[in-house]
Amino acid sequence: WLFPPNPDTLGGSSWLLQTSAGDLLIDCPPDSEETERFLRQRARQSSGWIVLLGREGHGHCRRVREHVGWPVLVQEQEAHLLPDVDGVFPFGVEHRIQRGLELLWTPGPSPGSAVLHARGGVAGPLDGLFCGRLLVPVGPGRLAPVPSPRGFHWPRHQRSVARLCRWLPSGSPEWIATGAGLGALRGEALVPGGTQLLAPLADDILRQSFGPGM
């Protein structure tokens, strides 16, 4: 499920992923009565986790946690931003939630930015990447790393994209879901062709780092 844009996270996108081991709420959706009803219904049907992929996705995390009662996964660099939230579990460089659900720390958009790869295992036939704000829409079917005044460290941001490409299995992902606003995608939600999208980004970053002929 894709929630409406969240004004509390600069119009960002939040997702709910259903797996055979429970639900994953990826970043926090808008704080509305409609969202609360939906989340409480999901919580009655399934266990789950709240997975935060960067500080821009925290939103009203405490209220969301009260609605669903699920624990919160957040990268350890940003756990201190949730002092009034119970049930917070920090993770480090990599973390496996369940077989088929893997997190990778990708600093740059913020100190504790991360991505979630869903492939096989409890994710079943899915092969997708939830990239948080590491990649943002720049046109229909196009995502790219973009420097932002609110960004943490642009060179680390670029290196995180290159590292992500090395970390992902060959030929994966089939699609990418971003946590940024989706306006530039012109009505699309998931961006297909994840592998073909990521490979040239990594090549560009390597060329910028080492120059031609290196």
Side-chain angles (χ1 to χ4, degrees), residues 120-146:
V122 300
L126 295 179
D127 180 10
L129 178 73
F130 295 87
C131 70
R133 305 291 178 107
L134 187 70
L135 303 171
V136 303
V138 293
R142 296 171 55 215
L143 300 171
V146 175

Side-chain angles (χ1 to χ4, degrees), residues 36-53:
E36 179 180 346
R37 284 195 300 270
F38 175 78
L39 291 177
R40 290 188 184 278
Q41 179 184 24
R42 294 304 308 172
R44 287 193 294 269
Q45 297 174 2
S46 175
S47 60
W49 288 88
I50 300 169
V51 182
L52 301 178
L53 298 184

Side-chain angles (χ1 to χ4, degrees), residues 18-37:
Q18 184 179 359
T19 78
S20 62
D23 288 352
L24 273 72
L25 179 62
I26 303 163
D27 289 331
C28 287
D31 185 22
S32 67
E33 291 183 3
E34 182 180 5
T35 297
E36 179 180 346
R37 284 195 300 270

Side-chain angles (χ1 to χ4, degrees), residues 27 53-54 56 104-110 112-116 129-138 143-148 153-165 167-168 176-180 197-198 201 205:
D27 289 331
L53 298 184
E56 301 291 4
L104 175 70
W105 178 39
T106 52
S110 68
S113 291
V115 299
L116 170 68
L129 178 73
F130 295 87
C131 70
R133 305 291 178 107
L134 187 70
L135 303 171
V136 303
V138 293
L143 300 171
V146 175
S148 163
H153 195 292
W154 176 236
R156 292 197 77 179
H157 191 148
Q158 292 177 296
R159 290 196 296 271
S160 288
V161 174
R163 183 165 180 265
L164 168 63
C165 294
W167 177 75
L168 287 165
I176 301 176
T178 177
L197 187 151
L198 288 169
L201 294 179
I205 290 167

